[in-house]
Amino acid sequence: MEHLAQGFLDVLTPATMFWVAAGVTIGYVLGAIPGLGKATGVAVSIPLTFYLQPVAALGMLIGIAKGSAAGSAVSAILLNTPGEPSSAPTALDGYPLARQGKAQKALKMGLFASVIGDFVSTVILIVLAAPLARYALLIGPVELCAILLFSLTFIGGLSGGSMLKGLIAACLGIFFATIGLESETFVPRLTFGLLELDDGISLVPMAIGMLAVAEMIVQAGNLKKLDVETQAISDSSTREDNIVTGAEWRRCAPVIARGTLVGSLIGILPGLGASVGSFLSYGMTQRLSKTPEKYGTGMIEGVAAAESADNAVVPSSLVPLFALGIPGSVIAAILIAAFILHGLTPGPLMFQQQPRLVADIYAAMLCASFIMLAIGYTCQSIFAKIIRVPMRLVIPGVLLLCCVGSYMETSSIFSIYVMLFFALFGYLARKLDFSFVTFLIGFVIGPKLEFSFRQSLQLLNHDPANLMKHPIAIAFIVLTAATLWWLGGRKRVQGPSAAGDGGAVPATDIAQHRKGGSQT
Amino acid sequence: MTIFTKRSLLGAAFGLALAVAGGTLPAQAAEGYPSGPITMLVGYGAGGQTDLVARAAAQVLSGELGVPVNVVNMPGAGGSVAAHELMKSKPDGQTLLFHSNSVVNSAPFIMERVNFKPDDFEYAGMITAYQVGLAASKDAPFNTLPEYVAWAKEHPGSSYGALSPEARMYINRIMEKDGIQVNIVPLKSGGEMLNALLGRQVELAFSGGIHFRNPDELKTISALTTFRQPSAPDVATIEEDGYPLAMDTRTTLFLPKGTPRDILDKLGAALKTAVTDENFQKITESANIPIMYLGVDEAYAEMNSTYEKHKKILSK
């Protein structure tokens, strides 16, 4: 990689650095604003980069993608409204921390986890792009089906207080995902004659309605109490609560390492995406923890797990794009057009034809990680003040941005109807204590599992014996069975006390809140 | 950003309509055209092949006409949602749709509730062609469609990747005619299709042209167009091999019904400069998209003839 040194020389010019920094900043702010996310940010910015040098343009676009993945943690932590679905697990522990007056701490942990995940994953992309992409090709639909099944065993633990309600929410998620053209025979399912529903319910407006709008409605109904709490928070700022302590670093280091690994692997596999990465990492961390029942009440590890994986997905999802020309994620698909516009055709020939431009982009990506740290750190102290703004001033602005974000993807008012429908749905889910996290998982993973299963049936020529030719799939099926057996066994042993734990969760929640208030 | 331009544009469009109503003859419509920024709808999301060509073409049009051309992605139902939106727009040339003509000449025979006809729109020209074909791994034991059929006969239960109803139609007709048995593996996108071919999950796959990106690993078995494709001139078309199933699709500039002819001519002339535009050539070439320009009259003729032909092929 003698090219990489040259790459840094090319990138470390004021002009290029300016655009990369601009990209990261735009991304970070877009990500932090509920309703606007990385896909919209990158898509809208492509025309703006027409007039830039290729390196500056591509560095800026990748900067937006990276920055918004990190920024989405901000609104998740401060407002309980994830900027993107993939930051939903961040809110589970980040928001309770913020209400306890530890917003700065949670934001810092989120940022550090994001930067580490992002940086390590970028290094993986640079060092291992070609060989890893070859291995990723071994993962076909049959293997993918087994991996998805395995990931469900971990994610099942995210259902909150009641397993039954969590499962019901997951089923509803799968149900809504069935809307649209069925992908094998192209029969429209449940579209009620609306052409707009042919491609199914789009994740972006659905998630905005469910996560952001619904949360704003809930908080609007809670204004008095929140105002009192906000008052209390604004007075509490001991140093302990604003930094990440050494002990917390030690607890979070393995969590971040695991999250980075999970995120990087999920990114390399085609079609899984950042949401699966962060949910899986959070789920694993909770499952493997000694105190799983405390998750959801303000465990700093939860923030670290979700954010490190969320950000690690972004660079590694470029692995199949760079090495094979295959877009591994929505971001990668949008970037293809940008790359071609700027004279770089993603694919195996890229490294031979334009090694210098590739090296430049790698260098720009590494620089973007550090810029992200600097910008995130600066912006955070500003953003953190949001939590001291009375909610009645925050809510209208957030609602406006939600509408803008929903509209932008399809340029049609229909997306706003979708958003409103799921806002109502999300509101009822919150009030009745159904987990919207499992709903999202059902919505995201359910259809992928169904589709890969149907692909597998065809690929295996309808004969289960052919499964023997897919050792990776068999390994994951065995792992799934073992995990289920282990989980079942643990439940049986802890039977009586487990029920007690379930009851204790809300109690701790309230206790923690009180504690947060009394520290003033 | 696009939202605000769109709003100001609506105002501009309204002003122009008033001017027309106020006595200006439609024959002189092109004189004041374009009266403001043009909105270019694209029926696929940002980042696809069509979007790429659309944005490059928008740059050319903008340079020729001297007004900004704003690309608005309105994905849904293979472009039908955007086409419906275009139908609702004023026929003044300020709103146009850049899309594959498949939304008119194929979609009505494939999708329920889509019933566009060629004379629902006006056309200002066509610019690039899609190199649709059947692709396989470079070391596959067959090079042509007849060789594939012979191979598939000896290997029943092989796999074929299909990402659209047309893709299924092709293999179904081949299976019917030659009595072979192939499993159809559904795929969601061009990216997934590449993955399946490169990972040897499927032996053959339908491709919208994206497979030319990997010339060292993939080869074209059959061209599904009426013409031999510039990126693979040695590969026979499916019609040469005796199956009357070739269907041509091209990126087309659609306008609302009733747009004056001189506006179409002006747009068509502006589009034609893309053929020699250096940047447009560079972009389409690096994406393996051949430029095949058709003028206004030719575009109408192409639309009508392909509509009738595809109707026969697809509604069997």
Side-chain angles (χ1 to χ4, degrees), chain B residues 83-251:
Chain B
H84 275 295
E85 179 71 18
L86 183 75
M87 285 174 116
K88 286 187 269 175
S89 306
K90 285 220 164 60
D92 58 6
Q94 295 297 129
T95 308
L96 32 98
L97 168 69
F98 189 96
H99 202 71
S100 163
N101 61 353
S102 64
V103 68
V104 170
N105 72 15
S106 303
F109 316 119
I110 292 169
M111 298 171 68
E112 292 173 39
R113 308 178 313 271
V114 175
N115 46 13
F116 298 122
K117 283 182 210 61
D119 56 3
D120 286 340
F121 302 96
E122 310 288 349
Y123 309 98
M126 302 186 177
I127 185 69
T128 60
Y130 293 84
Q131 303 195 87
V132 183
L134 299 177
S137 176
K138 200 94 188 176
D139 50 10
F142 43 81
N143 288 310
T144 65
L145 189 54
E147 281 175 30
Y148 168 74
V149 170
W151 178 86
K153 234 172 221 159
E154 286 167 31
H155 300 83
S158 67
S159 302
Y160 167 85
L163 47 71
S164 66
E166 292 97 320
R168 298 183 77 84
M169 183 279 291
Y170 278 107
I171 197 69
N172 280 329
R173 293 292 160 76
I174 295 169
M175 285 199 275
E176 254 169 53
K177 184 162 182 269
D178 299 309
I180 56 174
Q181 196 271 316
V182 178
N183 287 322
I184 306 178
V185 179
L187 298 170
K188 278 233 166 80
S189 64
E192 259 193 31
M193 186 275 299
L194 285 182
N195 223 7
L197 274 181
L198 293 174
R200 313 289 157 86
Q201 310 286 342
V202 298
E203 281 77 23
L204 188 75
F206 174 95
S207 164
I210 194 174
H211 65 283
F212 288 114
R213 198 179 289 160
N214 300 60
D216 289 343
E217 289 133 313
L218 301 177
K219 63 186 175 190
T220 314
I221 300 301
S222 178
L224 301 177
T225 45
T226 58
F227 52 88
R228 287 206 174 194
Q229 296 172 352
S231 297
D234 300 332
V235 175
T237 68
I238 193 165
E239 298 206 326
E240 288 176 55
D241 285 328
Y243 307 82
L245 300 172
M247 296 195 286
D248 292 348
T249 44
R250 294 158 193 266
T251 50

Side-chain angles (χ1 to χ4, degrees), chain A residues 43-44 46-48 50-51 134 136-141 143 181 183-188 191 193-196 198-199 270 324-327 333-334 336-338 340-341 343 345-349 352 404 407-412 447 451 454-455 458-459 461-462 470, chain B residues 1-3 6 46-48 51-52 55-56 59 72-78 80-81 84 110-114 156-159 162-165 168 181-188 190-192 194-195 198-199 201-202 210 213-217 279 282-283 286-287:
Chain A
V44 169
I46 286 178
L48 299 179
F50 276 159
Y51 308 101
R134 295 281 140 196
L137 281 178
L138 295 175
I139 309 289
E143 287 78 14
L181 286 184
S183 43
E184 190 165 359
T185 53
F186 303 97
V187 175
T191 60
L194 292 169
L195 271 180
E196 286 90 345
D198 262 17
D199 294 337
L324 302 165
I326 297 166
I334 295 173
I336 285 187
I340 293 176
L341 280 173
T345 311
L349 296 178
Q352 295 152 30
V404 173
Y407 180 85
M408 271 168 99
E409 195 195 28
T410 57
S411 320
S412 96
F451 194 62
R454 295 175 73 157
Q455 288 177 318
Q458 296 289 340
L459 285 171
N461 201 12
H462 314 281
H470 297 268
Chain B
M1 185 193 75
T2 39
I3 305 156
K6 196 177 174 191
D51 178 65
L52 178 75
R55 285 176 192 275
Q59 252 185 323
V72 176
N73 294 99
M74 194 177 276
S80 305
V81 174
H84 275 295
I110 292 169
M111 298 171 68
E112 292 173 39
R113 308 178 313 271
V114 175
S158 67
S159 302
L163 47 71
S164 66
R168 298 183 77 84
Q181 196 271 316
V182 178
N183 287 322
I184 306 178
V185 179
L187 298 170
K188 278 233 166 80
E192 259 193 31
L194 285 182
N195 223 7
L198 293 174
Q201 310 286 342
V202 298
I210 194 174
R213 198 179 289 160
N214 300 60
D216 289 343
E217 289 133 313
N279 194 37
K282 204 179 90 192
I283 289 169
S286 59

Side-chain angles (χ1 to χ4, degrees), chain A residues 367-437:
Chain A
C367 291
S369 297
F370 292 105
I371 296 174
M372 194 159 100
L373 183 64
I375 287 175
Y377 210 83
T378 326
C379 290
Q380 263 174 11
S381 43
I382 306 167
F383 279 129
K385 294 200 166 63
I386 288 180
I387 200 158
R388 298 176 189 180
V389 176
M391 278 314 284
R392 68 198 137 80
L393 298 180
V394 173
I395 292 171
V398 170
L399 289 181
L400 173 72
L401 289 165
C402 288
C403 293
V404 173
S406 303
Y407 180 85
M408 271 168 99
E409 195 195 28
T410 57
S411 320
S412 96
I413 198 84
F414 187 79
S415 294
I416 297 190
Y417 297 148
V418 170
M419 179 194 85
L420 290 176
F421 176 82
F422 282 97
L424 180 72
F425 195 80
Y427 177 77
L428 293 176
R430 270 156 219 258
K431 283 290 169 195
L432 301 173
D433 199 25
F434 282 89
S435 162
F436 60 88
V437 175

